[in-house]
Amino acid sequence: MISVEEALTRILAEIKPLNVVHVPLSEASGLVLAEDVVAQEDIPPFANSAMDGFALLSKDSKSQHGNPPRLRVTGGVAAGYVADHAVEEGTAMRIMTGAPVPPGADTVIQVELTRNDGPESEWVEILQEVAPGNNIRPAGEDMRKGQTALPRGTVIGPWEIGILATLGWATVPVICRPRVAILSTGDEVVDVSEPLQPGKIRNSNGYLLEAAVRRAGAEAYRLGVARDTVESLREKLTEAVTYDLILTSGGVSVGDFDLVKDIMQERGQMSFWRINMRPGKPVAFGHISGIPLLGLPGNPVSSAVTFELFGLPLIRKMLGHSRLVKPQISVTVEDGVQESAMRRHYVRARVEWQDGRFVAHTTGNQGSHIMTSLLNANALLIIPEGGITLRPDDTAKAMMLDWPEV
Ligand code: AMP
Ligand code: MG
């Protein structure tokens, strides 16, 4: 049996980021940029006004003998257009926010600091002296032509999308989303839509893992349920090796019908199949026909928890992320944890910020078949190996499942 840390290290050592694909800009969110994005022009591309007002020469704004200077208005320039003439001494042009500053003008005064006789006025009085460059957003103030605006490896979110759009990247080179095959196993497992016969249970793992895989940023494909026969499992795995990653649930513990391990050994290699933890000791990892296979336990809670611990970082590495694992923090465990097993225990808990500290409450019965222990859990308390019992108000480490990876 290997430790959780060693298992994760061994898994990640086998995984490389997937290929680069070009996706439409609107589909790039959440993906990792595969090339440096270099600005091909200055942004803003031209000097423009930050205010609605008048473009003028700064020296024309000086008051004469205490009177506001009066300038002749020669026209106007709106956003999206360019002026058809220059601003000369003693004149001004109306200008709107975002409009290019007309030639000749070196400053803009906002409309509130001027006086005239209406929108068509042929004159304007300047009520305050303005320095050169006032209210002008120079070309290249945000980004300079040739500048690396986003380095490769950047995770694309809404703000990066805004930068890419500004720079004209209609398609974006990104690491592609892994296509993940999800295979449930077990003669007892039937689909959610089928009637429940005696001895059968519904395939919760297939659907739970589908949602978890999507949340991790990958594409999920449920391949249904393999029977507990070599033939059925072979057939399903033959289909599964056309994907980037295979997730199985069930069939990896020491039982008569546990065949995933056998087939992994027959058609590829197995790296390990037991981890010193609960829930979820029987986790297998290896390759089949060159495709990584993560074999998760059948018990639904074990399956969910081991996916968070191993499947999520694995998928994130395929996606090209550099931050792979959830952060761990110190919490006060208000209700304590009574421990019996010697293995590392991941206890489902709700962690909240209370009176200046993080306080955890466990979610009740922690059996690996108790699916309701997952509800409301936003953290896993990490109870170290050795059967350590936490008394109420003891401190423990918690892995924060709803915080971004570090
Ligand atoms: P196994 O790892 O195949 O021995 O399964 C362990 C436990 O998980 C058994 O009680 C199974 O019935 C249950 N189980 C296996 N697969 C699923 C599944 N897809 N959905 C829900 N429970 C399952
Ligand atoms: Mg089974």
Side-chain angles (χ1 to χ4, degrees):
M1 256 195 316
I2 62 173
S3 70
V4 170
E5 287 72 23
E6 191 183 341
L8 184 58
T9 303
R10 283 212 219 165
I11 290 172
L12 294 179
E14 303 275 329
I15 301 298
K16 284 198 292 288
L18 298 184
N19 293 338
V20 178
V21 288
H22 287 77
V23 299
L25 178 58
S26 59
E27 289 166 26
S29 189
L31 295 171
V32 174
L33 191 61
E35 283 171 28
D36 287 349
V37 167
V38 177
Q40 299 301 316
E41 62 245 325
D42 282 345
I43 303 294
F46 49 86
N48 66 92
S49 179
M51 289 282 180
D52 292 344
F54 290 85
L56 66 157
L57 280 76
S58 155
K59 62 179 186 196
D60 282 347
S61 66
K62 286 197 178 70
S63 72
Q64 292 139 350
H65 322 295
N67 297 321
R70 180 179 276 227
L71 304 176
R72 188 159 58 81
V73 175
T74 61
V77 51
Y81 298 90
V82 288
D84 57 3
H85 62 275
V87 172
E88 286 163 9
E89 234 181 281
T91 72
M93 277 177 84
R94 269 183 214 92
I95 192 165
M96 300 311 226
T97 304
V101 176
D106 68 355
T107 194
V108 168
I109 187 162
Q110 59 264 55
V111 72
E112 294 85 348
L113 300 178
T114 66
R115 190 162 55 214
N116 60 20
D117 65 3
E120 301 296 310
S121 176
E122 287 182 355
W123 56 267
V124 60
E125 279 177 7
I126 307 301
L127 305 181
Q128 202 176 84
E129 191 177 334
V130 282
N134 187 56
N135 290 326
I136 292 177
R137 310 191 283 209
E141 188 181 25
D142 191 1
M143 291 174 260
R144 285 242 162 249
K145 181 177 178 174
Q147 177 187 331
T148 301
L150 300 171
R152 65 186 285 244
T154 299
V155 183
I156 301 171
W159 302 342
E160 289 73 22
I161 294 276
I163 299 270
L164 289 161
T166 295
L167 292 174
W169 288 59
T171 61
V172 189
V174 293
I175 310 292
C176 73
R177 286 187 200 279
R179 298 167 67 252
V180 181
I182 299 168
L183 179 58
S184 307
T185 68
D187 284 348
E188 76 280 31
V189 182
V190 301
D191 192 59
V192 293
S193 57
E194 287 173 40
L196 203 56
Q197 305 292 353
K200 306 292 182 186
I201 57 166
R202 296 191 183 95
N203 180 11
S204 58
N205 292 349
Y207 289 90
L208 184 155
L209 290 171
E210 176 182 46
V213 162
R214 285 196 185 132
R215 186 166 68 179
E219 290 175 9
Y221 299 87
R222 271 182 299 100
L223 304 190
V225 186
R227 303 287 123 219
D228 285 319
T229 64
V230 183
E231 295 72 34
S232 173
L233 203 54
R234 272 212 193 101
E235 188 194 316
K236 290 286 189 190
L237 287 173
T238 301
E239 187 188 349
V241 293
T242 60
Y243 294 82
D244 298 311
L245 169 67
I246 307 165
L247 285 183
T248 62
S249 82
V252 282
S253 56
V254 207
D256 289 345
F257 298 104
D258 293 348
L259 300 167
V260 176
K261 281 184 294 164
D262 297 349
I263 296 199
M264 230 194 287
Q265 269 156 340
E266 171 191 306
R267 309 242 316 245
Q269 93 261 11
M270 196 170 70
S271 172
F272 62 80
W273 68 280
R274 273 185 307 177
I275 303 177
N276 189 18
M277 64 176 286
R278 94 184 167 107
K281 176 171 76 171
V283 173
F285 178 72
H287 289 81
I288 287 192
S289 308
I291 304 300
L293 184 152
L294 181 61
L296 304 175
N299 274 311
V301 175
S302 310
S303 194
V305 168
T306 52
F307 177 83
E308 295 300 312
L309 291 176
F310 306 109
L312 178 66
L314 190 167
I315 287 174
R316 288 181 65 80
K317 185 153 185 200
M318 281 186 162
L319 277 162
H321 286 283
S322 52
R323 294 166 184 225
L324 303 182
V325 296
K326 294 292 185 184
Q328 295 181 11
I329 61 168
S330 276
V331 300
T332 305
V333 185
E334 212 148 73
D335 49 354
V337 178
Q338 194 70 36
E339 200 53 61
S340 52
M342 297 300 280
R343 282 178 273 149
R344 164 101 51 98
H345 193 180
Y346 287 90
V347 176
R348 279 75 71 205
R350 178 92 207 156
V351 170
E352 258 148 17
W353 180 252
Q354 264 171 31
D355 307 322
R357 59 191 189 144
F358 286 105
V359 176
H361 290 268
T362 61
T363 54
N365 184 343
Q366 296 286 314
S368 60
H369 60 299
I370 304 291
M371 293 195 73
T372 49
S373 72
L374 293 166
L375 296 180
N376 298 316
N378 66 342
L380 297 171
L381 299 178
I382 306 170
I383 314 300
E385 293 80 349
I388 290 161
T389 290
L390 293 186
R391 289 178 309 265
D393 287 333
D394 274 357
T395 302
K397 267 197 192 146
M399 177 182 261
M400 299 304 297
L401 300 178
D402 60 354
W403 288 16
E405 290 76 11
V406 289

